[in-house]
Amino acid sequence: MAQTPAAADAVPPSLDGRPRANELRAEVARIAEELTGQGTPPRLAVVVATEDESTAWYVRSIARAAEKSGLECAISTLSPGSSPEAIRAELARLSADPAVHGVILQTPLPEGAVAADLAAAIDPAKDVDGANPLSLGRLAAGLPAFAPATAEAVVELLDAHRVPLAGRTVAVVGRSTVVGKPLAHLLLGRDATVTVCHSRTADLAAVTRRAEIVVAAAGRIGLITGEHVGEGAIVVDVGTNPTPEGGLAGDVDTASTARRAAAVSPVPGGVGPITTALLLRHTVRAARGARERAV
Amino acid sequence: MAQTPAAADAVPPSLDGRPRANELRAEVARIAEELTGQGTPPRLAVVVATEDESTAWYVRSIARAAEKSGLECAISTLSPGSSPEAIRAELARLSADPAVHGVILQTPLPEGAVAADLAAAIDPAKDVDGANPLSLGRLAAGLPAFAPATAEAVVELLDAHRVPLAGRTVAVVGRSTVVGKPLAHLLLGRDATVTVCHSRTADLAAVTRRAEIVVAAAGRIGLITGEHVGEGAIVVDVGTNPTPEGGLAGDVDTASTARRAAAVSPVPGGVGPITTALLLRHTVRAARGARERAV
């Protein structure tokens, strides 16, 4: 189909995450095969305590990706009415199981349950999604730790597209414990100058427009528009908002943003595939670590 | 002495920390007396493994402040050649001692020792200077934890002078694990929009000039000058740099900054006194917590 110039304008250079995700998954498959051959098949456990449809879809996609790469994936499905104690007990059981190498606590959680609080029951050596507050603290302090996969995926995506970070200004929109805050630490560790914005930021567009890189991780469809982005900025979209049609939409309004940004990451196909691949990489690394400690 | 207009210009409204520090210390003395009367004299332990003169001065000032407020203060002096294992063992011993309620690991440390790594041996319930990575992670995740006293003192000082934080832009200069990073989390928790700058920030003055509040925590004498500060900004100076004359100098060049800032905190007499008072407050709170758990 022939494109009009206006339509061509509306398509920005895309920060495709799939090539890097494929590389990572090939590396993971190689290590998984090696470990399985040594009698340590890497195993990821996912604890779910919700009937939320988009969560179920996401967990199935992790399980499929794990199996494709030669990892075992076990899903512990708890009742959505589970008490925090029951969830904590399951996380502790999996942490103590020597056959399990990675443990993920999937959100949303039953009312009254606080993810970071429960995740303290995940052994840091198996905390492949960096959910235990100890992992976050170690990350912030520059000590070895698993970072939350989504936060790390943003950095991997930028690295894959050779976007330099040292000395660059980055606006992170969203201050969640799972993305915004750990991402700020990863970016500081890479010598970026980092501004964390959020729902109470007084003039969001004025702040993000000044940044060379904008990372949208607020969980609000279309929050970031052309007026939020400086000329030539790089925009990474972490949003995975379910649409009424059963699809996935990011936090970035691509059409208006594209007119100013140098590049925008797509949803789906940007941060998402790398996130899944990193969860698997963390799990095979955890399995290798467990094996080395046991030998 | 009569001031010339130029000299008057050079004296900015000062964010004096002593009135708030005195309030805090009165509160601490009251609780310490109560606890002592109940048979639980609050006790702070400080581990030192350096012969650094300014550190010795600082530790003596903590001990004096503790005694004045009715707390016991025990200083464990280890040799500057101590191994990380020896320091870790001392922190673990103090953490296990029921008569000790607060444990501080004083920096600098012997070569090869990493403060955040060693501080993992401090029981989080006694980690009154928020040095254990678990405390930092819990702080970042919004869970109850002791914050590093210096970082918390910045917020206390701003609160004492009724500087609103919600929706304000704050530039934190310095990304240390003991001040810059935990301060960023405290400020985010108060709904500020926070930019963390550091030695690799490309154009520091351009970044800090846009902030309504500038916090200098880089540990470099006179780093922040008039050109780094926007008209009417509030400037907090966390620097405690020893001068050749044996005094203390901040990170802020007060003379040039004063011409543009609405207020600047002094060094000494700004963040410092509040920091010490907060260390004592954390210790009496830890003692009260230990007593309540024991009853």
Side-chain angles (χ1 to χ4, degrees):
Chain A
M1 197 181 93
Q3 288 190 318
T4 65
D9 274 352
V11 180
S14 184
L15 297 175
D16 191 346
R18 288 162 303 186
R20 180 64 185 136
N22 289 339
E23 280 175 23
L24 285 166
R25 283 161 76 156
E27 178 201 323
V28 165
R30 197 177 46 69
I31 302 172
E33 193 182 355
E34 192 182 304
L35 285 163
T36 302
Q38 294 166 337
T40 309
R43 188 181 181 89
L44 174 64
V46 185
V47 176
V48 183
T50 176
E51 281 167 342
D52 181 67
E53 232 342 284
S54 64
T55 303
W57 180 89
Y58 177 64
V59 170
R60 278 195 303 271
S61 82
I62 292 175
R64 263 198 311 272
E67 279 150 34
K68 264 198 202 167
S69 299
L71 284 81
E72 298 174 2
C73 183
I75 299 169
S76 296
T77 307
L78 305 182
S79 129
S82 296
S83 67
E85 291 68 33
I87 298 170
R88 202 179 277 118
E90 180 64 8
L91 295 171
R93 188 188 70 75
L94 293 164
S95 291
D97 182 346
V100 171
H101 306 106
V103 179
I104 301 175
L105 172 59
Q106 189 56 48
T107 54
L109 293 168
E111 214 161 320
V114 177
D117 202 7
L118 296 182
I122 303 175
D123 177 350
K126 301 186 180 186
D127 184 25
V128 292
D129 204 17
N132 186 329
L134 179 55
S135 300
L136 179 53
R138 290 182 58 90
L139 188 74
L143 300 171
F146 288 120
T150 306
E152 190 179 341
V154 172
V155 176
E156 280 278 347
L157 180 67
L158 291 167
D159 282 346
H161 289 273
R162 300 175 196 279
V163 177
L165 295 172
R168 307 290 290 279
T169 53
V170 184
V172 175
V173 184
R175 55 177 157 173
S176 73
T177 307
V178 289
V179 188
K181 286 170 176 174
L183 177 56
H185 289 296
L186 290 171
L187 292 167
L188 284 173
R190 292 290 297 277
D191 293 330
T193 300
V194 182
T195 301
V196 181
C197 317
H198 44 77
S199 54
R200 298 290 304 274
T201 291
D203 185 350
L204 181 62
V207 176
T208 54
R209 238 183 350 245
R210 290 193 289 247
E212 293 166 290
I213 300 169
V214 177
V215 181
R220 278 182 55 196
I221 295 185
L223 175 67
I224 301 300
T225 64
E227 69 153 336
H228 292 81
V229 174
E231 202 65 54
I234 303 283
V235 180
V236 178
D237 192 349
V238 183
T240 52
N241 310 292
T243 62
E245 299 78 32
L248 214 58
D251 287 0
V252 175
D253 177 64
T254 312
S256 64
T257 305
R259 280 178 222 124
R260 300 171 61 88
V264 181
S265 78
V267 173
V271 172
I274 299 183
T275 299
T276 307
L278 287 174
L279 276 178
L280 303 181
R281 176 154 80 168
H282 291 175
T283 304
V284 295
R285 287 189 175 174
R288 194 148 63 178
R291 197 185 147 71
E292 280 163 8
R293 280 192 301 277
V295 170
Chain B
M1 196 181 95
Q3 288 191 319
T4 64
D9 273 353
V11 180
S14 182
L15 296 175
D16 190 347
R18 288 163 302 184
R20 179 64 186 137
N22 289 339
E23 281 175 22
L24 285 166
R25 283 163 75 157
E27 178 201 323
V28 165
R30 198 177 46 70
I31 301 172
E33 194 183 353
E34 191 183 305
L35 285 163
T36 303
Q38 294 167 336
T40 310
R43 188 181 180 90
L44 174 65
V46 185
V47 176
V48 183
T50 175
E51 280 169 345
D52 180 66
E53 232 343 280
S54 62
T55 302
W57 180 89
Y58 177 65
V59 170
R60 277 195 302 272
S61 81
I62 292 175
R64 262 198 310 273
E67 279 149 34
K68 264 198 201 169
S69 299
L71 284 81
E72 297 175 0
C73 183
I75 299 168
S76 297
T77 307
L78 306 182
S79 127
S82 296
S83 67
E85 290 68 34
I87 299 170
R88 202 180 277 118
E90 180 63 7
L91 294 172
R93 187 188 70 75
L94 293 164
S95 291
D97 182 344
V100 170
H101 305 105
V103 179
I104 301 174
L105 172 60
Q106 190 55 47
T107 54
L109 292 168
E111 215 161 320
V114 177
D117 203 7
L118 296 182
I122 302 175
D123 178 348
K126 302 185 180 186
D127 184 24
V128 293
D129 205 16
N132 186 327
L134 179 56
S135 299
L136 179 53
R138 289 183 59 90
L139 189 74
L143 299 171
F146 288 120
T150 306
E152 189 179 342
V154 173
V155 176
E156 280 279 346
L157 180 66
L158 291 167
D159 282 347
H161 289 272
R162 300 174 195 280
V163 177
L165 296 171
R168 307 290 290 279
T169 52
V170 184
V172 175
V173 184
R175 55 177 157 174
S176 72
T177 306
V178 290
V179 188
K181 286 171 176 175
L183 177 56
H185 289 296
L186 291 172
L187 292 168
L188 284 173
R190 293 289 297 275
D191 293 328
T193 299
V194 182
T195 301
V196 181
C197 317
H198 43 78
S199 56
R200 298 289 304 274
T201 291
D203 184 351
L204 181 63
V207 176
T208 54
R209 238 183 350 243
R210 290 194 289 247
E212 293 165 291
I213 301 168
V214 177
V215 182
R220 277 183 55 197
I221 294 185
L223 174 69
I224 301 299
T225 64
E227 69 153 334
H228 292 81
V229 174
E231 201 66 53
I234 303 285
V235 180
V236 178
D237 191 349
V238 184
T240 53
N241 309 292
T243 62
E245 300 77 32
L248 214 58
D251 287 0
V252 175
D253 176 61
T254 312
S256 63
T257 303
R259 279 176 223 125
R260 301 171 59 88
V264 181
S265 78
V267 173
V271 172
I274 299 184
T275 300
T276 307
L278 287 175
L279 277 177
L280 303 182
R281 176 155 80 167
H282 291 176
T283 304
V284 293
R285 287 188 174 175
R288 194 147 64 176
R291 195 183 151 70
E292 281 162 8
R293 280 192 300 278
V295 170

